[in-house]
Amino acid sequence: MEIAAPDFDLEKTLDSGQVFHWEKIHDGFVGTVGEGAVYVEQRGEILRANVASASSRCFGQHAQDAHATVAEYFALDHPLAKICASFPHDPAMQTAREFCRGLRIIRQPKWECLATFICSSMKQVAHIRQISRKLRERFGMGRKIAHCVVHTFPPAERIAQSSERKLRECALGYRAKNLLATARLVANGDVDLEKINALSDVDLRAALCELPGVGAKVANCVMLFAYERLRAFPVDVWVERVLRERYFPRTRKLTAGRLRQFTESYFGEHRGYAQQYLFHHARLTRHLSARKR
């Protein structure tokens, strides 16, 4: 199927550190959208997507359902030009905006996103991808697409039935204990990830931070990538470095509280997008500079 995708860059979006399981193959990428396997490639302003026949029930009975699911996943309805126009007009933000042109915030499944970012603590993107792959291969369901086999992310119930030892075998380290505990809370119904979507940003963040392995940074990532709270502004080492170097170059003592107040007032209603652009630009340009040395 073909999907209109103006003002969109598939590769930048999938490589921007918000989702970790898509693999480059041929002229596109293979991965899963929820329980369905998908191959997708970009031709100008058109996405060409194939959905595995075994995944049809995951997307509904008709091609229109799969079309809508893929378009929603990649947030093709976000008014990206308007969002980018709301960014502050400073050199750092404008450079990141140009570098990340077409990058969109994906709408991820809530449990998948939460679990993945619990596993991301103190890990680089390449390591998170390895953990995601091992969890999927060991506990997920295999799906065939484009002569490949991809694996769905295991539901909370499947993880909850496992053990810390088995999860540690997926390279989680100390994160295994937190993932297992959170999975059991979700599987037992003690935490309803859909129900808490009705909470305000402040209350949603607080609810997420009560879960094992979830601090402010992980909570903000989950709010941004799974709950579409575009005002969430995760601060990791990359973003903190950008903020310190570009916005507070002469400030020696910069507290987390002051950074939070600054980002909330300075970057506007779509600051989650601003954060993602700053993050992606900083991470890739630092890596490119390191290679050149």
Side-chain angles (χ1 to χ4, degrees):
M1 57 187 171
E2 293 191 346
I3 304 170
D7 205 5
F8 178 56
D9 191 305
L10 175 66
E11 185 166 9
K12 283 180 183 175
T13 297
L14 293 179
D15 191 39
S16 64
Q18 55 179 308
V19 66
F20 305 96
H21 69 279
W22 290 85
E23 299 287 347
K24 188 79 169 68
I25 180 172
H26 308 311
D27 295 323
F29 296 84
V30 291
T32 60
V33 177
E35 295 297 306
V38 177
Y39 168 80
V40 61
E41 64 182 37
Q42 185 166 13
R43 300 290 179 90
E45 294 190 345
I46 297 293
L47 285 185
R48 299 179 64 186
N50 291 334
V51 175
S53 57
S55 302
S56 59
R57 67 181 183 277
C58 305
F59 294 136
Q61 297 298 318
H62 306 289
Q64 293 92 329
D65 297 324
H67 183 290
T69 298
V70 174
E72 181 180 16
Y73 179 79
F74 288 114
L76 298 180
D77 59 322
H78 280 176
L80 198 59
K82 180 180 178 180
I83 289 171
C84 291
S86 72
F87 295 164
H89 296 280
D90 64 67
M93 192 70 254
Q94 292 304 303
T95 299
R97 173 182 171 178
E98 289 300 314
F99 184 86
C100 298
R101 186 180 296 276
L103 193 163
R104 291 175 178 265
I105 301 294
I106 292 172
R107 291 186 177 101
Q108 296 186 41
K110 294 177 177 61
W111 162 248
E112 177 181 324
C113 183
L114 171 62
T116 301
F117 277 96
I118 288 175
C119 299
S120 75
S121 177
M122 303 301 290
K123 287 287 189 180
Q124 296 180 354
V125 170
H127 297 148
I128 304 169
R129 289 180 63 85
Q130 292 173 2
I131 291 173
S132 176
R133 184 183 302 113
K134 290 180 179 180
L135 284 173
R136 289 168 178 271
E137 290 176 350
R138 181 154 189 173
F139 300 105
M141 297 292 294
R143 309 273 194 219
K144 291 184 178 180
I145 184 75
H147 306 292
C148 297
V149 176
V150 296
H151 291 80
T152 61
F153 194 84
E157 293 77 10
R158 182 77 175 86
I159 297 293
Q161 294 170 359
S162 184
S163 65
E164 184 178 340
R165 178 184 61 80
K166 290 181 180 179
L167 291 174
R168 280 180 174 269
E169 292 173 357
C170 295
L172 270 73
Y174 70 88
R175 302 159 197 82
K177 181 178 180 180
N178 292 327
L179 179 60
L180 182 61
T182 296
R184 288 176 174 171
L185 289 173
V186 173
N188 293 338
D190 296 324
V191 175
D192 188 328
L193 297 181
E194 295 297 332
K195 188 175 181 179
I196 62 175
N197 192 27
L199 299 175
S200 67
D201 286 358
V202 172
D203 290 339
L204 175 59
R205 185 179 295 108
L208 290 170
C209 284
E210 291 179 358
L211 300 174
V214 179
K217 182 256 183 179
V218 169
N220 278 314
C221 286
V222 176
M223 289 173 64
L224 179 59
F225 302 134
Y227 287 88
E228 205 174 357
R229 304 300 176 93
L230 300 184
R231 290 177 292 187
F233 195 100
V235 177
D236 71 338
V237 293
W238 291 105
V239 174
E240 182 175 350
R241 184 179 298 154
V242 170
L243 294 175
R244 290 180 180 275
E245 291 178 354
R246 304 304 295 271
Y247 298 97
F248 296 93
R250 296 179 180 84
T251 303
R252 291 187 176 182
K253 293 183 179 180
L254 189 61
T255 65
R258 184 175 178 186
L259 276 181
R260 184 179 64 255
Q261 292 175 355
F262 170 73
T263 59
E264 290 177 354
S265 62
Y266 185 73
F267 289 103
E269 287 296 297
H270 301 105
R271 52 186 173 269
Y273 260 97
Q275 179 275 347
Q276 189 64 15
Y277 281 31
L278 291 171
F279 167 82
H280 186 57
H281 174 257
R283 185 173 65 90
L284 260 63
T285 52
R286 291 292 178 105
H287 286 171
L288 290 173
S289 297
R291 289 176 185 174
K292 290 178 180 179
R293 296 195 199 104

